[in-house]
Amino acid sequence: MPRDSWIPVMVQRSTLTLLLSLALVGCEGANPSTSNAQARTLPPGPTKPVGPVPAQSIDASRRTAITAAVERVAPAVVTVQTETVQKVPVDFFEYFMGGRTGERRNAGIGSGFVVRSDGIIVTNAHVISGATKVSIGMRDGTSYDATVVGIDETNDLAVVRIKAKDLPVAPLGSSSTLIVGEWSIAIGNPFGFVLGNSEPSVSVGVVSAVGRNLAGRGDGGGIYVDMIQTDAAINPGNSGGPLVNALGEVVGVNSSIYSPSGGSVGLGFAIPIDRTKRIVEDLLDHGAVRQPWVGIRLQTPDVQSAREAAAVGAIVARVVPGSPADRAGVRAGDQVIAAGTRPVKNPFDWEARLLDLRVGEQLPVTVRRGGRELRVTLQVADAPEVSAPKVTVLRELQLVSLTDVIRQERGVASNAGALVYRVSDRIRDEIGLQDGDVIVQVGQSRVNSAEAASAAIDRYGARGPVYVVFERNRQYLQTSFSLR
């Protein structure tokens, strides 16, 4: 160390030593027996140590509601590992050996929890989306191959199954009774590849807010409305894990965070467990979610920020003819102010209410029209394309003929075409078609139905590449592919 930086340190230490010495000398110079005031302040009784606190008392004091809740839920928490295959250009040397495309395998990781002892597990849709392989890691290190039961990307939830029995099950609570400020516990496997551990980890905070609407996108493509907000640390790898209350009950599914840096900043969000239960039941019973439909399209607010959008109200832009809303008497221009027992202040509140509905339920709705409040009842139905006849193309593409009801519900500009109802990940990646696209032309032929689209694809595909024109978000795009 240089001399000029060493001397001041020694000087400061010497000065401190001198001051402490003087202080000690002063204490020794005082005579406690001659100071009655000091004598009266001394605590009564023996001054010797009374011995260590019994181990049983220490053990009992360490156990809290938090530790009890973790012990109840943690055995049911699992690690979800995925593998995706991405097509990439071959490298320089493979190109000269005749190669044209190659593959890159990417690993992903998330969390989940067991909801049935026979191997049914809940996680996020974005955790397993596009995965060619899904495996489940238990806390003891055991690994199982998993099959996907169903995915609901709208709600960012998925159900997978493993071949196992007598698994520990996470107790499910209710998200409707949450209290802002009560304890919340996030359990999962954050940064699992870095840490290399199979046991879940725990972070603790409080329920910061309920009914939160995220105007931006989270990790997945879901609609993040009516969410639970928590400051319990949620980091990459926590997605799909449970949010637990102090009773040891799962009240939410950790889904997304707000973070400029990518790490936790105390703004974590979870999907309410009440909504999760409904989605899981649909996925187990039908393999897909029955999307509730009432036939109301709200005005798109012309605002600059999410805060402004939260105050514009829920104004009906149009009502689909023949829909539940049309039959109940709802009109364009009405302002929705309540749905069931919950107030509706903006489009976020309306979307949140729709996500909690079940097909077949009745939804009381209060609207304001011309200064009067009217109460109507909507009979919740399946989305019109759900009950429409399906035409399967290429074994992995389901089409539905575009009807006037479907066109108005989805805001499609084309008068005729074939709606892409369901498409596999392979078709989505290789051809570029997505759910909700409307095929309007195949080759040189205009398409006015799902059957016409299927016949045109077969006809042109027998000759060579198939050129397809489709509508997406009121814009026309094109793609091509080969059946050979």
Side-chain angles (χ1 to χ4, degrees), residues 51-111:
V53 178
Q56 302 94 313
S57 299
I58 295 177
D59 185 63
S61 68
R62 291 167 57 195
R63 295 190 175 277
T64 65
I66 304 298
T67 60
V70 171
E71 289 175 350
R72 191 178 186 199
V73 179
V77 179
V78 302
T79 301
V80 182
Q81 296 177 307
T82 62
E83 181 180 90
T84 58
V85 177
Q86 178 184 8
K87 291 189 177 299
V88 296
V90 297
D91 60 30
F92 178 80
F93 296 102
E94 290 180 349
Y95 178 81
F96 282 98
M97 296 298 293
R100 290 295 180 268
T101 59
E103 291 183 347
R104 176 186 298 151
R105 297 183 181 274
N106 300 315
I109 195 167
S111 301

Side-chain angles (χ1 to χ4, degrees), residues 406-468:
I406 295 174
R407 186 178 66 81
Q408 293 194 49
E409 166 63 21
R410 290 180 170 264
V412 176
S414 303
N415 292 322
L419 174 75
V420 177
Y421 176 69
R422 188 166 296 162
V423 62
S424 69
D425 291 336
R426 186 183 71 83
I427 296 293
R428 185 184 295 111
D429 294 340
E430 295 183 6
I431 299 179
L433 291 173
Q434 300 178 3
D435 296 352
D437 290 344
V438 177
I439 298 175
V440 296
Q441 182 174 326
V442 177
Q444 301 300 317
S445 304
R446 296 286 296 179
V447 170
N448 57 15
S449 68
E451 292 79 7
S454 176
I457 290 173
D458 289 340
R459 183 170 65 254
Y460 284 101
R463 306 173 189 172
V466 180
Y467 294 91
V468 173

Side-chain angles (χ1 to χ4, degrees), residues 155-406:
N155 290 285
D156 195 18
L157 290 168
V159 175
V160 301
R161 175 186 279 115
I162 61 174
K163 293 182 179 180
K165 296 181 179 179
D166 301 323
L167 297 176
V169 174
L172 305 184
S174 175
S175 49
S176 63
T177 58
L178 283 174
I179 303 171
V180 174
E182 71 171 291
W183 288 114
S184 62
I185 310 160
I187 308 179
N189 197 355
F191 301 106
F193 285 132
V194 177
L195 299 176
N197 295 95
S198 57
E199 303 88 355
S201 66
V202 175
S203 58
V204 178
V206 298
V207 175
S208 304
V210 294
R212 300 300 254 188
N213 303 314
L214 281 67
R217 291 294 183 184
D219 292 333
I223 300 175
Y224 295 101
V225 293
D226 196 27
M227 303 284 282
I228 303 167
Q229 181 181 326
T230 180
D231 63 348
I234 297 176
N235 288 292
N238 271 118
S239 291
L243 186 71
V244 181
N245 64 15
L247 298 177
E249 299 169 335
V250 179
V251 294
V253 181
N254 300 322
S255 179
S256 58
I257 62 173
Y258 173 77
S259 172
S261 63
S264 174
V265 294
L267 284 173
F269 298 91
I271 303 164
I273 196 64
D274 292 345
R275 185 188 309 165
T276 303
K277 292 175 185 177
R278 177 181 69 83
I279 301 303
V280 171
E281 289 175 7
D282 271 359
L283 292 178
L284 289 174
D285 292 341
H286 310 292
V289 175
R290 298 179 68 184
Q291 299 293 346
W293 178 66
V294 296
I296 290 177
R297 302 285 291 185
L298 298 182
Q299 290 182 4
T300 302
D302 184 14
V303 294
Q304 302 300 317
S305 68
R307 184 176 295 275
E308 292 179 24
V312 297
I315 310 299
V316 178
R318 67 176 182 271
V319 177
V320 178
S323 67
D326 183 36
R327 292 193 295 269
V330 180
R331 302 176 186 172
D334 288 347
Q335 179 180 357
V336 181
I337 59 176
T341 59
R342 299 173 58 176
V344 176
K345 301 177 182 178
N346 50 58
F348 298 128
D349 292 340
W350 176 249
E351 290 294 334
R353 190 66 187 93
L354 291 181
L355 291 179
D356 290 333
L357 295 177
R358 291 176 182 266
V359 174
E361 289 182 340
Q362 289 188 337
L363 176 65
V365 173
T366 304
V367 299
R368 181 175 290 125
R369 179 189 303 163
R372 296 185 304 137
E373 291 188 2
L374 304 175
R375 187 177 176 87
V376 298
T377 300
L378 310 183
Q379 183 73 37
V380 182
D382 274 312
E385 62 267 23
V386 173
S387 56
K390 311 295 188 303
V391 174
T392 302
V393 183
L394 307 176
R395 296 195 300 261
E396 300 172 80
L397 177 65
Q398 282 190 327
L399 302 178
V400 172
S401 296
L402 185 67
T403 64
D404 189 54
V405 173
I406 295 174

